[in-house]
Amino acid sequence: MLYVIIGDDTADSLPARLAARPAHLERLHALRDAGRLLVAGPTPAIDANDPGEAGFTGSIIIAEFDSLEAAQSWADADPYRAAGVYQRVTVKPFKKVLP
């Protein structure tokens, strides 16, 4: 089943986000390579693809996991959590309807 993982950043998270990004992306690449990643990306703090120093307010990941518990465990082990980038992470089942 698909699950959406929503990470909400702490204030001024950009330095920690940049430092932890390689490890974060490595895990996303593993999901992609396994054919389990639907979409992943950050939410810019301003209306721009490159928000510069404004940074990001969080991230959204939609991926396939065996269960809600498995999705939560994967999200809990994210390097952004360990680095203090995320202040909160929400994991929910997701039903793709379109496209």
Side-chain angles (χ1 to χ4, degrees), residues 1-15:
M1 180 166 188
L2 292 173
Y3 295 87
V4 61
I5 299 169
I6 304 165
D8 295 311
D9 281 20
T10 60
D12 302 315
S13 63
L14 188 58

PDB file of all heavy atoms in Angstrom, residues 1-15:
ATOM      1  N   MET A   1       0.844  -1.170   0.000  1.00  0.00           N
ATOM      2  CA  MET A   1       0.000   0.000   0.000  1.00  0.00           C
ATOM      3  C   MET A   1       0.894   1.238   0.000  1.00  0.00           C
ATOM      4  O   MET A   1       2.015   1.212   0.495  1.00  0.00           O
ATOM      5  CB  MET A   1      -0.906  -0.015   1.227  1.00  0.00           C
ATOM      6  CG  MET A   1      -1.817   1.173   1.314  1.00  0.00           C
ATOM      7  SD  MET A   1      -3.113   0.920   2.528  1.00  0.00           S
ATOM      8  CE  MET A   1      -4.075   2.367   2.179  1.00  0.00           C
ATOM      9  N   LEU A   2       0.349   2.329  -0.520  1.00  0.00           N
ATOM     10  CA  LEU A   2       1.073   3.597  -0.496  1.00  0.00           C
ATOM     11  C   LEU A   2       0.837   4.330   0.821  1.00  0.00           C
ATOM     12  O   LEU A   2      -0.246   4.237   1.410  1.00  0.00           O
ATOM     13  CB  LEU A   2       0.622   4.486  -1.655  1.00  0.00           C
ATOM     14  CG  LEU A   2       0.983   4.018  -3.051  1.00  0.00           C
ATOM     15  CD1 LEU A   2       0.327   4.904  -4.106  1.00  0.00           C
ATOM     16  CD2 LEU A   2       2.489   3.990  -3.242  1.00  0.00           C
ATOM     17  N   TYR A   3       1.866   5.069   1.233  1.00  0.00           N
ATOM     18  CA  TYR A   3       1.789   5.892   2.440  1.00  0.00           C
ATOM     19  C   TYR A   3       2.403   7.241   2.133  1.00  0.00           C
ATOM     20  O   TYR A   3       3.381   7.343   1.389  1.00  0.00           O
ATOM     21  CB  TYR A   3       2.536   5.228   3.608  1.00  0.00           C
ATOM     22  CG  TYR A   3       1.882   3.941   4.013  1.00  0.00           C
ATOM     23  CD1 TYR A   3       2.220   2.747   3.391  1.00  0.00           C
ATOM     24  CD2 TYR A   3       0.884   3.920   4.985  1.00  0.00           C
ATOM     25  CE1 TYR A   3       1.582   1.560   3.725  1.00  0.00           C
ATOM     26  CE2 TYR A   3       0.248   2.739   5.321  1.00  0.00           C
ATOM     27  CZ  TYR A   3       0.597   1.559   4.687  1.00  0.00           C
ATOM     28  OH  TYR A   3      -0.046   0.393   5.019  1.00  0.00           O
ATOM     29  N   VAL A   4       1.816   8.287   2.708  1.00  0.00           N
ATOM     30  CA  VAL A   4       2.380   9.627   2.590  1.00  0.00           C
ATOM     31  C   VAL A   4       3.097   9.946   3.900  1.00  0.00           C
ATOM     32  O   VAL A   4       2.572   9.690   4.986  1.00  0.00           O
ATOM     33  CB  VAL A   4       1.311  10.689   2.247  1.00  0.00           C
ATOM     34  CG1 VAL A   4       0.233  10.793   3.302  1.00  0.00           C
ATOM     35  CG2 VAL A   4       1.946  12.048   2.010  1.00  0.00           C
ATOM     36  N   ILE A   5       4.304  10.443   3.742  1.00  0.00           N
ATOM     37  CA  ILE A   5       5.120  10.852   4.896  1.00  0.00           C
ATOM     38  C   ILE A   5       5.313  12.352   4.770  1.00  0.00           C
ATOM     39  O   ILE A   5       5.855  12.840   3.775  1.00  0.00           O
ATOM     40  CB  ILE A   5       6.473  10.125   4.897  1.00  0.00           C
ATOM     41  CG1 ILE A   5       6.249   8.607   4.990  1.00  0.00           C
ATOM     42  CG2 ILE A   5       7.352  10.630   6.044  1.00  0.00           C
ATOM     43  CD1 ILE A   5       7.502   7.781   4.721  1.00  0.00           C
ATOM     44  N   ILE A   6       4.842  13.083   5.759  1.00  0.00           N
ATOM     45  CA  ILE A   6       4.926  14.545   5.757  1.00  0.00           C
ATOM     46  C   ILE A   6       5.822  14.970   6.905  1.00  0.00           C
ATOM     47  O   ILE A   6       5.495  14.744   8.072  1.00  0.00           O
ATOM     48  CB  ILE A   6       3.528  15.179   5.909  1.00  0.00           C
ATOM     49  CG1 ILE A   6       2.596  14.672   4.815  1.00  0.00           C
ATOM     50  CG2 ILE A   6       3.630  16.702   5.905  1.00  0.00           C
ATOM     51  CD1 ILE A   6       1.129  14.942   5.080  1.00  0.00           C
ATOM     52  N   GLY A   7       6.946  15.557   6.552  1.00  0.00           N
ATOM     53  CA  GLY A   7       7.873  16.070   7.558  1.00  0.00           C
ATOM     54  C   GLY A   7       7.768  17.578   7.634  1.00  0.00           C
ATOM     55  O   GLY A   7       7.852  18.251   6.603  1.00  0.00           O
ATOM     56  N   ASP A   8       7.536  18.107   8.813  1.00  0.00           N
ATOM     57  CA  ASP A   8       7.475  19.553   9.041  1.00  0.00           C
ATOM     58  C   ASP A   8       8.777  20.001   9.682  1.00  0.00           C
ATOM     59  O   ASP A   8       9.160  19.497  10.746  1.00  0.00           O
ATOM     60  CB  ASP A   8       6.300  19.911   9.960  1.00  0.00           C
ATOM     61  CG  ASP A   8       4.958  19.598   9.323  1.00  0.00           C
ATOM     62  OD1 ASP A   8       4.754  19.997   8.167  1.00  0.00           O
ATOM     63  OD2 ASP A   8       4.128  18.938   9.972  1.00  0.00           O
ATOM     64  N   ASP A   9       9.463  20.944   9.013  1.00  0.00           N
ATOM     65  CA  ASP A   9      10.762  21.407   9.485  1.00  0.00           C
ATOM     66  C   ASP A   9      10.665  22.276  10.738  1.00  0.00           C
ATOM     67  O   ASP A   9       9.666  22.959  10.956  1.00  0.00           O
ATOM     68  CB  ASP A   9      11.455  22.251   8.408  1.00  0.00           C
ATOM     69  CG  ASP A   9      12.099  21.405   7.318  1.00  0.00           C
ATOM     70  OD1 ASP A   9      11.712  20.237   7.157  1.00  0.00           O
ATOM     71  OD2 ASP A   9      12.979  21.938   6.622  1.00  0.00           O
ATOM     72  N   THR A  10      11.741  22.249  11.503  1.00  0.00           N
ATOM     73  CA  THR A  10      11.912  23.190  12.598  1.00  0.00           C
ATOM     74  C   THR A  10      12.273  24.549  11.993  1.00  0.00           C
ATOM     75  O   THR A  10      12.630  24.642  10.814  1.00  0.00           O
ATOM     76  CB  THR A  10      13.045  22.745  13.542  1.00  0.00           C
ATOM     77  OG1 THR A  10      14.253  22.669  12.791  1.00  0.00           O
ATOM     78  CG2 THR A  10      12.747  21.401  14.173  1.00  0.00           C
ATOM     79  N   ALA A  11      12.221  25.581  12.774  1.00  0.00           N
ATOM     80  CA  ALA A  11      12.644  26.906  12.314  1.00  0.00           C
ATOM     81  C   ALA A  11      14.142  26.879  12.002  1.00  0.00           C
ATOM     82  O   ALA A  11      14.910  26.185  12.684  1.00  0.00           O
ATOM     83  CB  ALA A  11      12.340  27.955  13.379  1.00  0.00           C
ATOM     84  N   ASP A  12      14.534  27.598  10.984  1.00  0.00           N
ATOM     85  CA  ASP A  12      15.950  27.727  10.612  1.00  0.00           C
ATOM     86  C   ASP A  12      16.622  26.370  10.400  1.00  0.00           C
ATOM     87  O   ASP A  12      17.750  26.145  10.841  1.00  0.00           O
ATOM     88  CB  ASP A  12      16.706  28.545  11.667  1.00  0.00           C
ATOM     89  CG  ASP A  12      16.109  29.925  11.864  1.00  0.00           C
ATOM     90  OD1 ASP A  12      15.802  30.595  10.858  1.00  0.00           O
ATOM     91  OD2 ASP A  12      15.932  30.327  13.026  1.00  0.00           O
ATOM     92  N   SER A  13      15.940  25.483   9.694  1.00  0.00           N
ATOM     93  CA  SER A  13      16.433  24.120   9.500  1.00  0.00           C
ATOM     94  C   SER A  13      17.414  23.974   8.342  1.00  0.00           C
ATOM     95  O   SER A  13      18.013  22.902   8.185  1.00  0.00           O
ATOM     96  CB  SER A  13      15.252  23.182   9.248  1.00  0.00           C
ATOM     97  OG  SER A  13      14.588  23.555   8.040  1.00  0.00           O
ATOM     98  N   LEU A  14      17.595  25.011   7.529  1.00  0.00           N
ATOM     99  CA  LEU A  14      18.371  24.862   6.302  1.00  0.00           C
ATOM    100  C   LEU A  14      19.787  24.313   6.516  1.00  0.00           C
ATOM    101  O   LEU A  14      20.183  23.372   5.817  1.00  0.00           O
ATOM    102  CB  LEU A  14      18.403  26.167   5.508  1.00  0.00           C
ATOM    103  CG  LEU A  14      19.020  26.073   4.106  1.00  0.00           C
ATOM    104  CD1 LEU A  14      18.284  25.041   3.252  1.00  0.00           C
ATOM    105  CD2 LEU A  14      19.002  27.436   3.435  1.00  0.00           C
ATOM    106  N   PRO A  15      20.580  24.815   7.473  1.00  0.00           N
ATOM    107  CA  PRO A  15      21.928  24.252   7.644  1.00  0.00           C
ATOM    108  C   PRO A  15      21.912  22.754   7.982  1.00  0.00           C
ATOM    109  O   PRO A  15      22.679  21.974   7.412  1.00  0.00           O
ATOM    110  CB  PRO A  15      22.529  25.075   8.784  1.00  0.00           C
ATOM    111  CG  PRO A  15      21.788  26.367   8.744  1.00  0.00           C
ATOM    112  CD  PRO A  15      20.385  25.997   8.334  1.00  0.00           C
TER     113      PRO A  15
END
